[in-house]
Amino acid sequence: QVQLVESGGGLVQPGGSLRLSCAASGSIASFYAMGWYRQAAGKQRELVASITNSAFTNYADFVKGRFTISRDNAKNTVYLQMNSLKPEDTAVYYCNRKQYNLNYWGQGTQVTVSS
């Protein structure tokens, strides 16, 4: 079993920045992919960005150039640096980890972009 604990959400003005963190614990595998998804009110959950243990990254088109995903393997932690935030980025952001063909999810952290 893997536990994921997210932190770093909050309220920010348009154009501002936030950094989300997701720490994994439990049965950690060396080969994995971790990512951030988001779900806005009334919408489906969508992929924001992902990163593998070998640092291969993937971004949704709507965050390219604004968000950066990174990981610290020693700390089993993945980060999402979000810059130039827009009101449409408002959503609950969920951390995800895939290993051994299993999916694990964090509890979610609210990001609100509003003036």
Side-chain angles (χ1 to χ4, degrees):
Q1 192 72 313
V2 173
Q3 294 78 43
L4 301 174
V5 178
E6 300 132 334
S7 60
L11 173 64
V12 64
Q13 291 187 342
S17 298
L18 283 175
R19 189 175 85 149
L20 305 182
S21 300
C22 174
S25 61
S27 301
I28 301 299
S30 298
F31 298 98
Y32 66 87
M34 287 188 74
W36 290 94
Y37 289 70
R38 72 185 188 186
Q39 188 167 18
K43 295 187 177 181
Q44 290 189 331
R45 191 172 298 189
E46 59 186 356
L47 174 68
V48 176
S50 64
I51 187 167
T52 68
N53 55 284
S54 57
F56 178 81
T57 58
N58 181 45
Y59 293 93
D61 286 343
F62 54 77
V63 302
K64 284 181 179 178
R66 299 190 298 126
F67 292 9
T68 302
I69 191 168
S70 60
R71 90 280 188 263
D72 184 333
N73 283 337
K75 296 181 179 179
N76 295 318
T77 299
V78 66
Y79 305 96
L80 185 68
Q81 178 67 43
M82 305 186 293
N83 299 328
S84 302
L85 282 161
K86 305 175 182 179
E88 52 263 44
D89 294 318
T90 295
V92 178
Y93 283 70
Y94 295 92
C95 179
N96 171 269
R97 184 178 176 101
K98 295 179 175 62
Q99 59 180 53
Y100 301 135
N101 292 321
L102 296 176
N103 258 316
Y104 300 94
W105 293 95
Q107 79 283 0
T109 184
Q110 177 70 45
V111 172
T112 302
V113 185
S114 175
S115 55

